[in-house]
Amino acid sequence: MFNFFKKEEFKIVSPTDGTLIPLGEVPDQMFSQKMMGDGFAVIPAANTIVAPLSGTAESVFPTGHAVGIKTKDGIECIVHIGLDTVELNGDGFRPLVHQGDKVKAGQPIVEIERQKIEDKGYQTVTMVVFPAGYDHAFNLGKKATNAGEVLVK
């Protein structure tokens, strides 16, 4: 009758609209060789990046290019927007959450100026990697996806 204490079902959703690709296709060895953990990537077609899972924003980089999220079950996830985009010092990124904020899967966490970033010569491919707590393989293939679309249950 009342679902006050109903546990939210675990899910991983797409961080943005675009093309889902295997992590191995990201043109950066740190990600493609899974040095930071397994995961997946999306080549964005939009400017909004959403939380791929529910948890707490454990780290929100001042530059806005990356957000670390940890679930209450200890699963750690890093959303990394673009390649070498830390060099932009936040230009083209607007974080929508702060360290310590609770986030829900599908909730906007960063707004980007995709065209501006790309015009400066940076790729905006967005990686979602799991450095700890989640040891399942990601065999999601290559396909169109939408922000908040459930990829893993």
Side-chain angles (χ1 to χ4, degrees):
M1 185 166 160
F2 294 102
N3 290 322
F4 293 126
F5 301 105
K6 185 177 180 185
K7 185 177 179 182
E8 181 181 355
E9 182 180 359
F10 178 79
K11 63 185 172 188
I12 299 171
V13 305
S14 176
T16 190
D17 297 344
T19 304
L20 177 72
I21 63 170
L23 205 53
E25 292 187 19
V26 173
D28 182 302
Q29 287 188 334
M30 181 69 72
F31 294 104
S32 66
Q33 294 185 5
K34 303 177 183 178
M35 293 179 195
M36 296 176 63
D38 201 356
F40 58 92
V42 176
I43 299 168
N47 291 323
T48 301
I49 308 298
V50 305
L53 45 62
S54 297
T56 301
E58 292 281 309
S59 57
V60 179
F61 285 73
T63 54
H65 80 286
V67 176
I69 300 170
K70 187 174 185 178
T71 70
K72 59 185 168 206
D73 295 328
I75 297 170
E76 295 178 20
C77 165
I78 298 170
V79 180
H80 193 284
I81 307 160
L83 300 178
D84 299 321
T85 49
V86 66
E87 297 170 359
L88 293 170
N89 291 318
D91 190 24
F93 297 86
R94 186 169 63 91
L96 303 175
V97 295
H98 300 92
Q99 186 170 335
D101 286 356
K102 300 288 186 211
V103 296
K104 293 273 189 195
Q107 174 186 333
I109 57 173
V110 179
E111 283 290 329
I112 64 171
E113 294 177 70
R114 190 171 48 88
Q115 195 60 56
K116 178 180 188 177
I117 295 165
E118 291 172 356
D119 287 349
K120 289 185 177 213
Y122 292 87
Q123 292 189 41
T124 54
V125 60
T126 299
M127 288 68 60
V128 178
V129 294
F130 294 82
Y134 191 78
D135 58 0
H136 302 282
F138 287 90
N139 298 314
L140 303 173
K142 192 171 188 174
K143 63 179 182 177
T145 188
N146 293 307
E149 178 183 335
V150 177
L151 301 175
V152 177
K153 279 188 179 185

